[in-house]
Amino acid sequence: MAVHDLINRIRERLDELNRSERKVADVILADPAAATGMSIAALAQASLVSEPTVNRFCRNFDAKGFPDFKIKLAQSLAGGTPYVSRSVDQSDDAAAYGDKILGATVAALDDARRALNPRRIERAVDYLSQAKQICFFGLGASGPVAADAQHKFFRFNLPVMAYEDVLMQRMVAAACHTGDVIVIISYTGRTRELVDIAKLARSNGAAVLGITAPDSPLARECTEVLEVMAPEDTDIYMPMTSRMIHLALIDVLATGVTLRRGEDFQQHLKKIKDSLKDTRFPPES
């Protein structure tokens, strides 16, 4: 695994570490930048473990020792924003959980930016630009993302709808035709109803775009997939970082369609924007 993924490797392997090594990991993940400036004695003291435990922890992550580990950690920080923590703890106060949530969101967006696949974005924009109509499907926390997509895409002079009800989604998928595009938004990609709906829509000739987890059951049924990998356990916590990535990807797709329409289309968008001027108080001088 690449050096810049070291922080993610530590986070992903927390459950594999013994109790003492977990203490070292917790101190490093709480403030990776500070850890790069610590001596082995300082890190051991902060972790309430022995120096040999710190060395053993470092070797577990392919480092020759603590000095080599600090170099890799610094390179990891230079490669991207680290996740502050895997999850919020019961004992966290507002400062702690606020910092963790916002830090994890920034890090997730940074990872998504670096993992963005331009070719897949272009193919998705191709489908959306040529669509006869577009439908956005999302269940649960993905429902508001679908609604946000409808809010952006209705400006493109084509029929756009968002559906959060699974029965409506199934009926729409059954009624669609070649030239229609259905965008299914799902963090896990493991919701049975959405997988069935994707199959149904494709059997009727529609293109199905998935914003979902890679190699998931839903991804395997889609015409094109924008993969989202956000390290959060939705079996315990409500989706947070993944939802922000989904919203950002909708913005990316909407921008792609806007640019594909060309400069002449900008006047249409301006007319919609200008229609709101009379609804607002003028800015105060």
Side-chain angles (χ1 to χ4, degrees):
M1 190 172 290
V3 169
H4 68 259
D5 287 332
L6 175 59
I7 295 172
N8 283 341
R9 289 175 63 196
I10 296 172
R11 176 178 46 76
E12 290 167 357
R13 291 180 55 192
L14 283 175
D15 292 336
E16 302 174 15
L17 303 176
N18 64 38
R19 183 176 298 179
S20 296
E21 292 171 344
R22 174 67 181 266
K23 291 179 180 179
V24 178
D26 287 342
V27 171
I28 293 171
L29 291 176
D31 193 343
T36 62
M38 289 182 175
S39 66
I40 187 171
L43 180 56
Q45 183 177 7
S47 307
L48 302 177
V49 300
S50 66
E51 292 183 22
T53 296
V54 175
N55 269 323
R56 186 168 62 250
F57 171 87
C58 296
R59 289 193 294 271
N60 277 343
F61 291 92
D62 303 321
K64 297 175 183 178
F66 184 62
D68 185 42
F69 178 85
K70 288 205 299 182
I71 293 173
K72 294 179 183 297
L73 182 61
Q75 291 173 331
S76 182
L77 284 169
T81 307
Y83 285 90
V84 175
S85 178
R86 183 176 57 170
S87 63
V88 172
D89 296 321
Q90 187 66 41
S91 59
D92 285 346
D93 60 13
Y97 62 71
D99 184 63
K100 285 182 177 181
I101 291 170
L102 293 175
T105 300
V106 170
L109 287 168
D110 186 52
D111 273 1
R113 176 185 60 82
R114 289 185 284 122
L116 195 68
N117 187 320
R119 291 184 180 179
R120 288 191 169 183
I121 293 293
E122 289 289 347
R123 289 196 294 265
V125 169
D126 285 342
Y127 283 113
L128 293 167
S129 298
Q130 299 169 27
K132 295 179 180 177
Q133 67 172 345
I134 303 174
C135 296
F136 292 94
F137 292 176
L139 298 177
S142 296
V145 181
D148 180 73
Q150 180 191 21
H151 178 72
K152 290 182 171 66
F153 275 77
F154 90 92
R155 295 167 169 81
F156 298 131
N157 275 343
L158 53 87
V160 179
M161 290 296 296
Y163 297 95
E164 301 182 38
D165 179 84
V166 71
L167 297 181
M168 283 297 301
Q169 292 172 358
R170 181 174 289 274
M171 289 189 287
V172 170
C176 64
H177 304 283
T178 300
D180 295 341
V181 175
I182 290 180
V183 183
I184 301 180
I185 304 158
S186 171
Y187 167 64
T188 66
R190 292 185 282 109
T191 304
R192 292 182 185 274
E193 290 88 346
L194 292 177
V195 175
D196 291 342
I197 286 168
K199 292 179 182 178
L200 180 59
R202 290 191 68 186
S203 71
N204 286 311
V208 178
L209 308 183
I211 300 179
T212 189
D215 300 320
S216 62
L218 176 59
R220 291 191 286 270
E221 296 298 334
C222 291
T223 311
E224 188 61 68
V225 180
L226 301 182
E227 298 178 345
V228 174
M229 297 180 65
E232 58 186 353
D233 187 352
T234 55
D235 292 332
I236 301 175
Y237 298 102
M238 62 181 176
M240 291 183 280
T241 58
S242 60
R243 187 171 61 233
M244 300 304 294
I245 298 173
H246 291 167
L247 288 167
L249 283 176
I250 294 297
D251 283 347
V252 170
L253 294 175
T255 300
V257 174
T258 301
L259 295 175
R260 190 71 59 85
R261 291 292 178 92
E263 292 185 6
D264 292 342
F265 188 65
Q266 296 298 322
Q267 189 60 37
H268 170 75
L269 297 179
K270 183 177 183 299
K271 182 173 68 174
I272 295 175
K273 191 71 173 178
D274 288 346
S275 71
L276 300 177
K277 287 183 178 179
D278 292 339
T279 69
R280 296 170 179 164
F281 287 108
E284 296 180 3
S285 57

